[in-house]
Structures are given as C-alpha cells and as structure tokens.
Amino acid sequence: MNSNKLSVIFLNLFIISFPLSVTASQSFAILSIFLFLFSSYSNKNLLITLKNQSFMSAIAIYLTMIPSFFFHILQYETSLISILTKSEISDFWMCFVILPAYYHIRNPEYRSLIFRSIYLCVFLVVVSGFITIFTPFRLAVFIRDGFQVKDGVRLQHFAGDFWGRYTYLPIGLMNTHLTFGGLCGLLFPGILFHLGLTLKDRKVWKNLLFLLISILFAIVIFYNQSRSIWLGILFVIGLIGIKLF
C-alpha cells in the first residue's frame, strides 16, 4: 500500500474520531498530512500542491491573527513561547489538513469512503449530543474516570426543564459546549447542502432517514445555545447558497 492510500485511511480516521477524541484525531491528521506531503514529494509535485488556493487562504487567515498575539504580549506580558505553544496559533499546522482533504475528495476512488466517514462523524455528534442533553455530568470525564462521577467534578450547564426533566447544554465528548457547538457548526451546513443536492440519487427511505438525522442535528445545535455558532452557520449557508444559486 502506497503512502497516498495510507494518507486516505488516516484522513478518514481523523474525520471519524474527531467527535470522540481531539487528541486521537489530531494524531491521525498529522499522519495523513505527512504521508500526503511525502507522496507529493515523491511524485515531484510538492510545490504545485502547496500552491492550492484553499490552503493559501487558510494560511492568510492565520496570519491575520498575528497582530492580536503581539498586542496580548504587550498587554499581559505573555511570553512568545507560551503563545506559540498554548494559544490558537499553535494549531497552525492544522491548515495542512486541507491539502489531503482537498485532493482526496476529488478522487472518485476515495470520495464515497470520505463521505461515509463524514456521515458517521455526524451520527456520532448527534448521538453524543442528545445523550449529554440529559446527563448532568460531562460525558468525556465520566468515561475517563471509569464510568463514575467523582466528587468535586465540574458539571454541565443547566439548560432548563423539559416536561419535568432537567436538561443541559449538549457537549458531546468535548470539554465545553462552545467547542461542541463549533464542531456542529463545521459539519451542519455542508452536510445539509450535500444531502439536498444528492436527494434524487437515493431511495425514499434513505432520504427520510437522513431528513430525520438532519432534524435531530438541528435540535442539538439549537439546544447548544451558542449564538455565535448559529450566526456562523447562517453565514456559511448564505455563502453556499450564493455560490450554488
């Protein structure tokens, strides 16, 4: 098996594992990136690959954060090393995931497999989201501590009563409801448009199933109560709509 196909495998593992463990998914992402760049280098088209417009746009977005980081150094006397290793800029390398994702999804041999991984990722997000609506404890911590709630652990944010039952902001297996909301925001607009555009390619029962999942997904996002995520989703839907129509 060549490095390019291994890159596809690790890319799919990255997509599937993202709702389960950020650390594990990042490890798969690094392997996918490294193998893809190695394959590009072996095929002597690495420079062409790095000139990808989507990748260059992501780099440009990250560069716009630099003035903010220098401002915080002066304001809070934060060390440059701390910023480079602990702040959002430390995830700069994640921009490189765009490269294997961009090229692999355009290969008919890999496309269906990647879409299946995305659907599975959405399913895990929806299921974990609904579970945590009705659990006062943080699910990831609960699993990490051997399926028990230890004294003194931080509980979830109360969301209100639902037919006499306490509910909480959905958090999935993330650490905060905002992180989980961000994950939902990344997935929902794209999956919604893809399902709509491929509506005629599926049987009726599959369309009904995907419609149900989409509705449940929307409920989880609404219950997350992150207004910034709502606005972000509406903005992306608007951009996609302008692009398509």
Side-chain angles (χ1 to χ4, degrees), residues 8 57 72 90 138 144 171 175 177 195 197 205 240:
V8 175
S57 298
H72 284 94
S90 64
R138 296 176 183 268
R144 185 195 64 193
I171 192 176
N175 291 323
H177 80 283
L195 291 175
L197 293 173
W205 70 268
I240 297 176

Side-chain angles (χ1 to χ4, degrees), residues 43-114:
N43 294 327
K44 298 181 179 180
N45 60 357
L46 179 59
L47 291 178
I48 297 175
T49 298
L50 293 175
K51 290 180 180 179
N52 177 272
Q53 290 184 353
S54 299
F55 173 64
M56 298 302 293
S57 298
I59 297 295
I61 291 172
Y62 257 86
L63 291 177
T64 61
M65 290 198 271
I66 292 179
S68 173
F69 292 131
F70 279 109
F71 173 78
H72 284 94
I73 289 176
L74 298 175
Q75 186 176 7
Y76 301 109
E77 297 182 355
T78 306
S79 67
L80 181 61
I81 294 178
S82 177
I83 286 180
L84 293 175
T85 57
K86 298 180 180 180
S87 66
E88 288 82 358
I89 200 68
S90 64
D91 293 327
F92 171 82
W93 61 270
M94 287 294 289
C95 291
F96 285 87
V97 178
I98 293 173
L99 293 173
Y102 182 91
Y103 288 103
H104 291 329
I105 197 68
R106 280 160 174 73
N107 188 329
E109 182 183 354
Y110 307 139
R111 186 179 301 139
S112 60
L113 180 61
I114 293 175

Side-chain angles (χ1 to χ4, degrees), residues 116-200:
R116 289 176 186 175
S117 297
I118 294 173
Y119 290 144
L120 180 55
C121 177
V122 169
F123 177 77
L124 293 173
V125 168
V126 173
V127 170
S128 62
F130 261 96
I131 290 174
T132 52
I133 287 177
F134 300 100
T135 52
F137 50 82
R138 296 176 183 268
L139 191 59
V141 177
F142 176 72
I143 296 173
R144 185 195 64 193
D145 292 338
F147 297 95
Q148 59 180 330
V149 181
K150 294 185 177 180
D151 294 334
V153 298
R154 185 175 58 165
L155 299 179
Q156 292 197 148
H157 297 290
F158 179 68
D161 292 336
F162 182 75
W163 287 357
R165 183 181 178 88
Y166 287 169
T167 60
Y168 306 86
L169 301 185
I171 192 176
L173 288 165
M174 301 294 106
N175 291 323
T176 68
H177 80 283
L178 293 177
T179 303
F180 181 73
L183 177 59
C184 293
L186 285 173
L187 292 167
F188 188 72
I191 202 72
L192 193 66
F193 272 95
H194 180 262
L195 291 175
L197 293 173
T198 57
L199 196 65
K200 297 180 180 179

